[in-house]
């Protein structure tokens, strides 16, 4: 690798192809790689699954010394280290999960100066010896993953992240911070705490993940809704997020009984049991994990095909981060989020009963309102979601509302009736009692309190109970009514509702939210390949699984789904063609190329190891032409001379010569070989130019 302090984009592109196996950067990656390789201080905000890791892993190979990567989860660090080693990169991690041999190997590489990336948990920075060790190790750059963890008001705050700014000062090296979930408030905190207020080069590359299908549904038999969704995606890896530990266990059991490979995961489990689930999820195709949000930040599995929420997430940022775990390989992925009045009550009470100061509680209610606005949206969900993050130029067509626009109606009269019922009963009751009053249902509770004598009693008989439940849920979603924890969850009118009550404004509601059958529709599955290609994709996955089990690796570290799909579509017939498949770098081509070619074509191509190193590159084709030219001249131009040939290594060097001429060729081949092969070789090389 180049030893200079920075690498130009052509060097970066060569490493991208030869090490990581990609022909081109994703949008936005190239300029970030250049800035990091140059040694700029960088803040990069990229969508989850947008290729953040490459933006510090690749520059580490262009820079001298060691790049220190600070990452919040051991599982994620170990995963990235294994993936890098599979690609032939010298990487290591110092974590509490290391074996003694793993730690010794890292120290040896540091002492020998061969390690390029060192992963460290932020908690390790509390150790006084760590800073001295890093100074001696020749750290030339710091990369901070999940940089939003530095925000003291954030949902993933890690106190040890506050030590990173001090470490940057002590080592006097540039720093690059990466995150996917930083609103403007968090960005200010990152700049203040990691860069001491000095503005870094900032890259904001949008929050859209166009390959992820967005869908919400009102709860109506939520267990059956989740089971239906999973049934339409049988055999695909998925995550189901639940609000409680007990629900994860019950739903995982139900999925298992329905014939799925499923297990549960939550923070109350023994550490060993959690590790076992993490390992299974990484290595098994088609496993469903039913989990609380304890399962997530360490998940770097690129081929998760779907994420479902059995309960409403706690904020729009949490929702974005959690669905972002699907489809990181860029192939189609799907989501479904279920929500209902109980979710809204729970999330409101969690905020109201928390210990945050009033201004923070108001901000948290605002974030929840944004998520509820997304749940009750009446037009494109992607437009609503990305609008929250400040994006306006949005193309969708990949959400439930774009595919099936909802029917809406003027809900002003129904909402005024509901508000009137809440006010006339002293804002002391929940939706169930208010619906009884509105529909004229004279229950004992209604009669005992004299509510059957109210002017609002029976004024809502035009709508049934289920329809009124939909109205109240939407009113809570639009923050017109808010459950009050001090009144045992009774619905209280907010200031937002006053203009409606006074007749100064109107409101539109979704009619399909009132129709219970709407949530029974089974979302259509998106096939990854055509029906006729499905058996071949299955065969490639079986080969991948066998190789992964033999190497004790997660399957996607052999090749991710996206690479296998491209193999099916392109049908490479040679190692040269295989090398042009995205995700097939030089090391993986050497280790696995022939294995997958045999599945695709039923035969294995024999190729000299030296030639294999040039597979997929222009030099490979030149090598073949040079070999043919050599064969014609092996016994001289007339076929009567003593046999003469060049070694495979020599031919490879000739194929890679820069500006070849007779003198440089003679220096490489020697006088005798240059005399016999020189003119023919130069014809080949100049013909290629």
């Amino acid at each position: 690798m180049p030893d200079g302090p920075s690498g130009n984009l052509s060097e970066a592109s060569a490493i991208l192809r030869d090490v990581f196996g990609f022909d081109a950067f994703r949008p936005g990656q190239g300029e970030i790689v250049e800035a990091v390789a140059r040694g700029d201080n960088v803040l990069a905000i990229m969508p989850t699954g947008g290729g953040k890791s490459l933006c510090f892993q690749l520059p580490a190979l262009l820079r001298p010394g060691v790049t220190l990567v600070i990452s919040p989860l051991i599982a994620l660090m170990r995963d990235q280290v294994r993936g890098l080693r599979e690609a032939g990169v010298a990487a290591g991690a110092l974590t509490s999960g290391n074996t003694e041999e793993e730690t010794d190997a890292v120290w040896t590489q540091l002492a020998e100066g061969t390690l390029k990336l060192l992963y460290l948990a932020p908690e390790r920075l509390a150790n006084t010896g760590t800073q001295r060790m890093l100074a001696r190790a020749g750290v030339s750059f710091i990369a901070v993953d999940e940089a939003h963890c530095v925000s003291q008001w954030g949902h993933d705050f890690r106190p040890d992240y506050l030590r990173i700014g001090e470490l940057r000062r002590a080592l006097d090296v540039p720093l690059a911070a990466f995150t996917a979930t930083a609103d403007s408030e968090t960005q200010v905190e990152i700049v203040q705490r990691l860069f001491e207020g000095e503005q870094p080069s900032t890259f904001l590359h949008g929050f859209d993940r166009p390959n992820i299908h967005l869908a919400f549904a009102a709860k109506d038999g939520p267990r059956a809704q989740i089971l239906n969704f999973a049934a339409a995606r049988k055999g695909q890896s998925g995550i189901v997020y639940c609000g409680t530990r007990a629900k994860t266990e019950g739903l995982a059991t139900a999925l298992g009984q329905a014939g799925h490979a499923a297990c549960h995961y939550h923070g109350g489990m023994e550490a060993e049991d959690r590790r076992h689930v993490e390992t299974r999820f990484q290595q098994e195709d088609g496993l469903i994990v039913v989990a609380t949000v304890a399962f997530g930040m360490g998940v770097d599995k690129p081929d998760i095909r779907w994420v479902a929420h059995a309960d409403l997430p706690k904020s729009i940022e949490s929702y974005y981060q959690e669905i972002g775990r699907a489809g990181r390989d860029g192939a189609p992925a799907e989501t479904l989020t279920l929500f209902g009045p109980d979710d809204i009550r729970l999330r409101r009470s969690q905020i109201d009963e928390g210990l945050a100061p009033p201004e923070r509680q108001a901000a948290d209610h605002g974030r929840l309102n944004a998520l509820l606005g997304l749940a009750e949206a009446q037009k494109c969900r992607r437009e609503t979601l990305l609008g929250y993050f400040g994006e306006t130029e949005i193309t969708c067509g990949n959400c439930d509302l774009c595919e099936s626009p909802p029917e809406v109606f003027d809900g002003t009269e129904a909402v005024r009736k509901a508000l009137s019922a809440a006010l006339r009963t002293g804002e002391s009751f929940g939706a169930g009692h208010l619906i009884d009053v509105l529909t004229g249902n004279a229950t004992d509770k209604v009669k005992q309190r004299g509510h059957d004598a109210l002017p609002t009693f029976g004024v809502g008989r035009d709508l049934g109970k289920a329809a009124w439940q939909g109205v109240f849920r939407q009113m809570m979603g639009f923050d017109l009514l808010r459950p009050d924890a001090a009144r045992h969850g009774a619905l209280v009118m907010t200031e937002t509702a006053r203009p409606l009550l006074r007749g100064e404004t109107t409101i539109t509601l979704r009619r399909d939210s009132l129709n219970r059958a709407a949530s029974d529709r089974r979302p259509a599955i998106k096939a990854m390949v055509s029906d006729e290609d499905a058996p071949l994709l299955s065969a490639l996955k079986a080969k991948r699984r066998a190789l992964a089990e033999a190497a004790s690796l997660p399957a996607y570290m052999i090749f991710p789904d996206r690479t296998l799909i491209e193999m099916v579509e392109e049908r490479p017939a040679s190692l040269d063609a295989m090398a042009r498949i995205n995700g097939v770098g030089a090391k993986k081509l050497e280790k696995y190329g022939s294995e997958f070619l045999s599945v695709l074509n039923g035969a294995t191509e024999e190729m000299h190891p030296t030639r294999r190193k040039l597979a997929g590159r222009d030099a490979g084709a030149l090598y073949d032409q040079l070999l043919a030219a050599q064969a014609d001249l092996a016994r001289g131009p007339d076929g009567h001379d003593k046999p003469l040939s060049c070694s495979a290594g020599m031919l490879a060097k000739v194929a890679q010569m820069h500006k070849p001429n007779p003198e440089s060729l003679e220096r490489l081949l020697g006088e005798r070989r240059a005399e016999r092969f020189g003119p023919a070789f130069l014809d080949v090389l100049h013909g290629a130019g």
Side-chain angles (χ1 to χ4, degrees):
M1 295 299 166
D3 290 327
S6 68
N8 60 38
L9 203 53
S10 66
E11 289 174 308
S13 296
I15 294 172
L16 181 71
R17 183 190 64 235
D18 296 342
V19 177
F20 296 97
F22 295 109
D23 291 333
F25 288 107
R26 293 191 200 179
Q29 278 183 324
E31 54 186 339
I32 297 174
V33 165
E34 273 195 291
V36 174
R38 217 172 26 239
D40 295 353
N41 285 322
V42 167
L43 170 58
I45 300 157
M46 303 170 72
T48 301
K52 296 194 303 292
S53 302
L54 185 84
C55 291
F56 56 80
Q57 290 172 349
L58 195 156
L61 305 183
L62 289 164
R63 295 183 56 78
V66 182
T67 291
L68 174 67
V69 182
I70 296 171
S71 183
L73 282 177
I74 290 174
L76 190 62
M77 288 190 279
R78 292 175 69 84
D79 224 37
Q80 290 199 6
V81 166
R82 290 164 84 187
L84 285 164
R85 286 177 177 165
E86 271 296 295
V89 176
L94 290 175
T95 77
S96 57
N98 278 22
T99 63
E100 195 174 326
E101 292 76 14
E102 287 171 333
T103 299
D104 288 346
V106 172
W107 285 114
T108 300
Q109 285 181 297
L110 280 171
E112 292 172 349
T114 55
L115 197 71
K116 293 306 297 177
L117 289 111
L118 173 63
Y119 282 74
L120 213 61
E123 288 74 16
R124 200 157 183 124
L125 300 180
N127 186 321
T128 51
T130 299
Q131 203 164 291
R132 290 196 301 274
M133 176 273 286
L134 293 173
R136 287 197 307 272
V139 169
S140 66
F141 199 88
I142 300 171
V144 180
D145 204 5
E146 310 290 356
H148 61 274
C149 292
V150 80
S151 168
Q152 288 182 284
W153 291 117
H155 57 289
D156 286 324
F157 175 54
R158 299 283 285 263
D160 289 291
Y161 263 66
L162 299 176
R163 303 176 190 273
I164 298 172
E166 177 191 331
L167 176 67
R168 182 182 77 93
R169 278 198 310 279
L171 295 179
D172 192 24
V173 296
L175 182 146
F178 296 86
T179 181
T181 51
D183 55 21
S184 55
E185 183 183 325
T186 304
Q187 287 177 44
V188 169
E189 273 193 271
I190 291 171
V191 171
Q192 194 59 49
R193 298 183 190 285
L194 297 185
F195 302 99
E196 296 180 292
E198 188 178 319
Q199 190 62 40
S201 298
T202 301
F203 300 88
L204 178 59
H205 281 295
F207 292 86
D208 194 13
R209 295 281 306 286
N211 62 311
I212 297 180
H213 183 273
L214 308 179
F216 280 70
K219 284 186 178 179
D220 184 16
R223 176 171 290 197
Q225 288 172 291
I226 294 294
L227 288 172
N228 282 343
F229 191 77
R233 288 147 191 82
K234 189 132 189 200
Q236 296 184 359
S237 294
I239 302 174
V240 182
Y241 283 112
C242 299
T244 66
R245 294 173 178 181
K247 190 179 280 190
T248 67
E249 297 182 16
L251 197 45
T253 300
L255 284 162
Q257 290 169 346
H260 299 277
C263 53
H264 68 271
Y265 183 106
H266 57 68
M269 294 165 61
E270 294 292 331
E272 186 58 39
D273 293 334
R274 290 202 306 273
R275 275 196 294 274
H276 177 65
V277 173
E278 288 166 2
T279 302
R280 279 191 68 192
F281 191 60
Q282 296 286 24
Q283 296 189 354
E284 289 183 32
D285 278 333
L287 185 69
I288 299 170
V289 175
V290 187
T292 60
V293 291
F295 185 75
M297 272 185 67
V299 177
D300 200 25
K301 184 179 170 74
D303 53 0
I304 297 168
R305 295 270 64 87
W306 57 271
V307 170
H309 284 90
D311 299 298
L312 189 74
K314 66 180 181 180
S315 70
I316 197 162
E317 286 89 352
S318 299
Y319 168 79
Y320 174 79
Q321 192 174 58
E322 286 150 21
I323 63 164
R325 287 165 191 142
R328 292 187 175 202
D329 57 3
E334 295 172 278
T335 67
L336 173 67
T337 302
L338 302 181
F339 66 104
D342 289 344
D343 292 305
I344 302 172
R345 273 190 284 274
L346 173 66
R347 294 305 185 195
R348 292 283 188 215
S349 65
Q350 285 174 334
I351 296 169
D352 291 335
E353 294 168 13
L355 301 175
E359 67 274 13
R360 190 66 201 181
Q361 287 190 347
D364 288 341
H365 277 300
R367 289 190 170 108
L368 178 57
N369 286 348
L371 179 60
L372 294 169
L374 177 62
E376 298 289 7
Q378 297 172 9
K379 59 179 183 176
C380 175
R381 294 208 195 271
R382 191 165 255 98
E383 191 177 311
T384 306
L385 174 63
L386 298 181
Y388 174 81
F389 292 110
E391 294 189 30
T392 52
E393 299 297 316
I394 296 149
T395 304
C396 183
N398 198 24
C399 77
D400 55 344
L401 298 182
C402 280
E403 291 169 353
S404 182
E407 184 187 347
V408 296
F409 72 104
D410 184 348
T412 309
E413 186 181 348
V415 167
R416 284 183 189 149
K417 288 175 181 177
L419 291 171
S420 176
L423 291 171
R424 288 181 183 277
T425 55
E427 296 180 295
S428 300
F429 298 91
H433 183 76
L434 297 177
I435 290 170
D436 285 335
V437 172
L438 287 163
T439 56
N441 184 17
T443 65
D444 291 344
K445 185 176 174 183
V446 168
K447 288 189 285 191
Q448 283 167 6
R449 286 161 176 77
H451 293 164
D452 53 340
L454 292 174
T456 46
F457 183 75
V459 297
R461 286 195 178 99
D462 55 322
L463 294 178
K465 182 178 178 182
W468 273 113
Q469 286 171 337
V471 170
F472 274 96
R473 196 200 65 243
Q474 289 183 77
M475 290 175 68
M476 291 166 72
F478 292 132
D479 204 19
L480 304 175
L481 289 171
R482 190 179 282 191
D484 185 350
R487 302 187 188 198
H488 308 288
L491 293 176
V492 175
M493 189 176 79
T494 66
E495 288 301 313
T496 315
R498 293 199 181 280
L500 265 167
L501 194 64
R502 291 194 295 256
E504 296 167 3
T505 186
T506 60
I507 190 168
T508 301
L509 298 181
R510 288 176 44 160
R511 195 176 296 282
D512 63 345
S513 290
L514 314 183
N515 178 2
R516 306 189 78 189
S519 63
D520 290 337
R521 290 193 300 264
R522 176 179 291 191
I525 184 166
K526 289 184 170 60
M528 297 168 71
V529 295
S530 67
D531 287 348
E532 63 190 49
D533 286 339
L536 180 56
L537 181 61
S538 294
L540 291 173
K541 284 187 169 185
K543 170 62 73 175
R544 178 179 68 177
R545 187 163 56 250
L547 291 169
E549 286 172 1
S552 296
L553 285 172
Y556 69 81
M557 278 189 191
I558 306 295
F559 291 123
D561 277 1
R562 187 173 60 164
T563 298
L564 298 189
I565 291 167
E566 194 172 329
M567 287 182 193
V568 170
E569 291 170 347
E570 299 297 329
R571 302 290 174 98
S574 66
L575 285 171
D576 278 325
M578 178 68 85
R580 287 189 282 272
I581 300 291
N582 275 299
V584 183
K587 181 89 181 287
K588 290 191 178 183
L589 183 74
E590 189 175 341
K591 286 180 76 171
Y592 307 123
S594 295
E595 297 267 14
F596 284 87
L597 273 180
S598 67
V599 175
L600 289 161
N601 305 304
T604 303
E605 179 190 24
E606 294 299 327
M607 186 180 273
H608 192 285
T610 303
R611 169 65 177 86
R612 193 183 298 129
K613 288 186 170 70
L614 303 177
R617 295 160 58 184
D618 292 342
L622 288 176
Y623 180 102
D624 294 340
Q625 293 174 49
L626 293 168
L627 194 62
Q630 175 180 267
D632 289 342
L633 296 169
R635 285 184 170 273
D638 301 320
H640 303 303
D641 296 342
K642 187 176 177 181
L644 189 63
S645 65
C646 303
S647 69
M650 209 176 270
L651 284 178
K653 286 178 181 173
V654 173
Q656 296 174 88
M657 285 183 78
H658 187 58
K659 295 183 179 177
N661 57 52
E663 293 74 26
S664 61
L665 204 58
E666 185 173 334
R667 281 196 298 275
L668 178 59
L669 300 179
E671 187 177 342
R672 281 177 60 234
R673 289 185 178 84
E675 185 180 342
R676 183 172 297 186
F677 304 120
F681 282 7
L682 285 171
D683 284 348
V684 168
L685 296 171
H686 289 143

